[in-house]
């Protein structure tokens, strides 16, 4: 029966392992889904990374020096001699007050700052934004730049995104450069708003844009929309460096942990999973093979009472009442030394008085007990009645200590 069970267990184990490896094979060979994570990182080649734009900037602006800034603007702009167009593109940007103040000073000296992100409420420049929502699911988004040089061409975008528009602008210092909205099935505009502006500040300009997806790999490689990207970039100056921000990014631009490195590669990821599964299988089956039933060990019985009874019966049967009495007197003296902390070297009136005070017995009862003990010591043999009397006196003495009179 046991051999039959072992054989069945082995069959199940082999089937389980084959099932695991079959699953791993199917998972490792199937087509991986497209990663639509909005990273906006220059090193990422996923659809919403900015690898293509970052590589093409040098050819688009051959006379400009392209510099990557991987530190916060607050730190980078400590040097007041910095010049260029500070280029920010990310899903969300949140500058601190002190940091934005340095950007203001940077622009006031004659530089530019280009910011493309979803939603920005910049109280310092009197800008506010809100989300533009289409009324029907069949409507499509449009983007249009107002510069006549672009001939009023409109562009669209077929991926879901957050379409933000400016609801408040500083009309005295701001120029509207682009708009966005929605068109229904009848080619009628149902919603419209401003999504690209130029704001003059000091000797420089802020360019504020609410559609960062236009700079991603997916859009720049589009057969039509790449021109939309080029039109927006045409506002960048060619006489100063372009400072590409690599600090404010939703995605991670570099590997920050060994596990991220393992899971970042398809082959290493599945090798890691196989190792974990192998360890799990080893623990399950190896642990089962090595485990043995633990025998129940019955604890040893306390034989002290039985032993005492046996010894007592031996003395009693041999009529050695004197030896029993001597033992009981010795145990009584030991009891007094341990419990009452009274020396028993000298049995006298002082001893009687101390024992009576500490035990709660009367002085007469204590004297009676120990004088009877002295009488026992002087006899060679004692009777059964004398042994019983001695035991009664000792038990009465102990009970008084334990329970009181």
């Amino acid at each position: 029966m046991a051999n039959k069970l072992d054989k069945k267990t082995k069959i199940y184990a082999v089937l389980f392992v084959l099932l695991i490896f079959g699953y791993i094979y199917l998972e490792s060979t199937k087509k991986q889904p497209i990663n639509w994570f909005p990273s906006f990182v220059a090193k990422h080649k996923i659809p919403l990374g900015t690898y293509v734009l970052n590589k093409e900037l040098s050819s688009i602006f051959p006379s400009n020096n392209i510099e990557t800034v991987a530190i916060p603007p607050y730190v980078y702009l400590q040097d007041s001699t910095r010049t260029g167009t500070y280029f920010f593109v990310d899903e969300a940007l949140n500058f601190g007050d002190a940091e934005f103040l340095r950007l203001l000073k940077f622009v006031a000296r004659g530089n530019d700052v280009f910011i493309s992100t979803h939603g920005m409420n910049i109280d310092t420049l009197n800008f506010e934004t809100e989300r533009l929502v289409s009324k029907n699911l069949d409507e499509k988004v449009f983007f249009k730049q107002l510069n006549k040089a672009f001939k009023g061409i409109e562009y669209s975008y077929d991926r879901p995104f957050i379409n933000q528009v400016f609801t408040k602008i500083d009309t005295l210092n701001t120029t509207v450069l682009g708009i966005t909205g929605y068109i229904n099935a009848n080619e009628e505009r149902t919603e419209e708003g401003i999504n690209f502006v130029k704001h003059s500040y000091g000797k420089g300009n802020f360019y504020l844009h609410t559609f960062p997806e236009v700079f991603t790999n997916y859009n720049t490689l589009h057969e039509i929309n790449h021109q939309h990207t080029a039109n927006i970039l045409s506002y960048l100056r060619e006489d100063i460096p372009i400072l590409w921000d690599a600090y404010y990014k939703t995605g991670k631009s570099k590997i920050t942990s060994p596990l991220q490195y393992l899971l970042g590669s398809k082959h290493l990821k599945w090798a890691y999973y196989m190792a974990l599964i192998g360890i799990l299988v080893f623990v399950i089956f190896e642990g089962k093979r090595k485990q043995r039933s633990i025998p129940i060990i019955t604890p040893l019985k306390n034989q002290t009472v039985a032993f005492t009874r046996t010894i007592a019966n031996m003395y009693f049967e041999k009529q050695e009442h004197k030896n029993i009495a001597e033992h009981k007197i010795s145990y009584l003296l030991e009891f007094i030394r341990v419990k009452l902390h009274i020396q028993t070297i000298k049995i006298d009136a002082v001893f009687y008085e101390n024992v009576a005070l500490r035990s709660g017995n009367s002085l007469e009862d204590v004297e009676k007990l120990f004088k009877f003990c002295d009488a026992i010591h002087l006899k060679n043999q004692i009777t059964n009645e004398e042994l019983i009397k001695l035991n009664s006196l000792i038990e009465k003495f102990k009970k008084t200590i334990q329970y009181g009179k």
Side-chain angles (χ1 to χ4, degrees):
M1 184 68 178
N3 292 333
K4 186 176 181 181
L5 288 175
D6 290 341
K7 185 177 181 181
K8 186 179 289 186
T9 302
K10 291 178 180 179
I11 293 173
Y12 287 149
V14 171
L15 291 175
F16 177 75
V17 172
L18 290 175
L19 181 64
I20 292 296
F21 279 99
Y23 174 77
I24 292 173
Y25 174 77
L26 292 176
E27 284 292 320
S28 60
T29 55
K30 76 175 184 179
K31 188 177 180 180
Q32 296 298 317
I34 298 174
N35 182 3
W36 289 99
F37 178 74
S39 75
F40 297 96
V41 174
K43 293 182 179 180
H44 289 177
K45 298 180 181 180
I46 58 178
L48 297 185
T50 54
Y51 177 82
V52 175
L53 177 61
N54 185 261
K55 290 297 181 183
E56 293 298 323
L57 274 180
S58 57
S59 60
I60 298 173
F61 299 96
S63 60
N64 294 61
N65 181 34
I66 312 298
E67 181 180 349
T68 299
V69 182
I71 59 177
Y74 181 81
V75 177
Y76 182 77
L77 297 179
Q78 284 180 340
D79 185 355
S80 59
T81 63
R82 303 280 191 188
T83 60
T85 299
Y86 215 139
F87 191 89
F88 296 91
V89 55
D90 194 34
E91 187 175 31
L93 287 168
N94 294 298
F95 299 110
D97 293 339
E99 189 167 57
F100 195 74
L101 179 60
R102 290 200 170 173
L103 286 173
L104 289 172
K105 292 179 179 179
F106 176 72
V107 173
R109 293 197 300 266
N111 300 291
D112 290 347
V113 169
F114 188 100
I115 300 175
S116 182
T117 184
H118 291 306
M120 61 186 80
N121 294 323
I122 305 175
D123 295 333
T124 309
L125 302 180
N126 294 320
F127 283 100
E128 291 183 3
T129 62
E130 68 177 21
R131 186 170 182 176
L132 190 67
V133 182
S134 63
K135 295 181 179 179
N136 300 303
L137 294 176
D138 61 346
E139 293 181 338
K140 63 179 181 179
V141 68
F142 76 89
F143 300 96
K144 180 180 179 181
Q145 290 177 273
L146 303 183
N147 192 321
K148 293 181 179 179
F150 303 134
K151 302 177 182 179
I153 299 175
E154 295 183 358
Y155 301 92
S156 188
Y157 188 70
D158 59 0
R159 293 292 306 173
F161 74 104
I162 300 173
N163 197 5
Q164 296 283 123
V165 295
F166 291 98
T167 57
K168 179 182 177 182
I169 61 175
D170 181 0
T171 55
L172 294 177
N173 301 299
T174 303
T175 303
V176 177
L177 302 178
I179 60 174
T180 184
Y182 291 95
I183 301 175
N184 61 22
N186 298 323
E187 299 297 322
E188 297 173 341
R189 293 189 181 184
T190 58
E191 300 290 337
E192 186 176 305
I194 301 168
N195 79 322
F196 186 25
V197 298
K198 172 185 176 182
H199 178 81
S200 300
Y201 187 85
K203 297 180 181 180
N205 301 288
F206 278 95
Y207 291 91
L208 306 178
H209 182 251
T210 64
F211 179 51
E213 283 84 0
V214 74
F215 301 109
T216 60
N217 301 326
Y218 179 74
N219 197 79
T220 53
L221 294 175
H222 194 276
E223 57 183 356
I224 298 175
N225 287 355
H226 72 277
Q227 188 59 48
H228 184 199
T229 308
N231 293 345
I232 295 173
L233 292 174
S234 66
Y235 287 98
L236 302 186
R237 292 167 54 181
E238 297 183 357
D239 59 333
I240 55 177
I242 296 176
L243 309 175
W244 177 278
D245 170 65
Y247 180 78
Y248 283 113
K249 290 290 179 284
T250 302
K252 295 181 179 180
S253 60
K254 59 182 179 180
I255 294 173
T256 57
S257 68
L259 187 59
Q260 183 186 355
Y261 178 79
L262 286 174
L263 299 181
S265 169
K266 182 178 74 172
H267 302 293
L268 289 177
K269 178 178 69 174
W270 284 109
Y272 175 69
Y273 289 159
M274 288 178 65
L276 291 180
I277 294 170
I279 293 172
L280 178 62
V281 172
F282 175 81
V283 170
I284 293 173
F285 293 103
E286 185 70 8
K288 184 177 180 181
R289 188 179 70 83
K290 291 292 182 68
Q291 186 176 350
R292 295 290 183 270
S293 60
I294 301 173
I296 299 175
I297 301 175
T298 305
L300 297 175
K301 294 182 180 180
N302 189 349
Q303 301 290 343
T304 304
V305 176
F307 176 75
T308 304
R309 287 176 179 173
T310 302
I311 298 300
N313 290 334
M314 289 173 61
Y315 277 107
F316 190 77
E317 289 173 0
K318 292 182 178 181
Q319 298 293 311
E320 294 186 2
H321 301 319
K322 175 67 184 298
N323 287 334
I324 296 174
E326 292 290 351
H327 282 300
K328 291 189 73 67
I329 294 170
S330 298
Y331 292 146
L332 173 62
L333 295 175
E334 177 68 18
F335 178 82
I336 291 171
R337 288 193 296 270
V338 174
K339 294 292 184 181
L340 304 182
H341 305 289
I342 298 174
Q343 294 294 327
T344 59
I345 298 174
K346 188 176 182 182
I347 310 298
D348 55 10
V350 177
F351 173 79
Y352 297 153
E353 186 175 350
N354 289 335
V355 171
L357 289 173
R358 297 192 185 186
S359 67
N361 287 273
S362 64
L363 182 60
E364 292 77 10
D365 290 339
V366 173
E367 288 181 357
K368 181 180 177 181
L369 171 62
F370 283 97
K371 285 182 179 179
F372 188 73
C373 290
D374 289 339
I376 296 292
H377 285 312
L378 295 174
K379 293 183 178 182
N380 292 326
Q381 297 291 334
I382 64 172
T383 64
N384 186 36
E385 290 75 13
E386 288 175 321
L387 178 60
I388 293 173
K389 181 180 179 181
L390 175 65
N391 185 69
S392 299
L393 292 173
I394 292 175
E395 290 301 319
K396 180 182 177 182
F397 175 80
K398 291 182 177 181
K399 286 181 179 179
T400 302
I401 295 175
Q402 295 177 351
Y403 308 109
K405 291 184 178 180

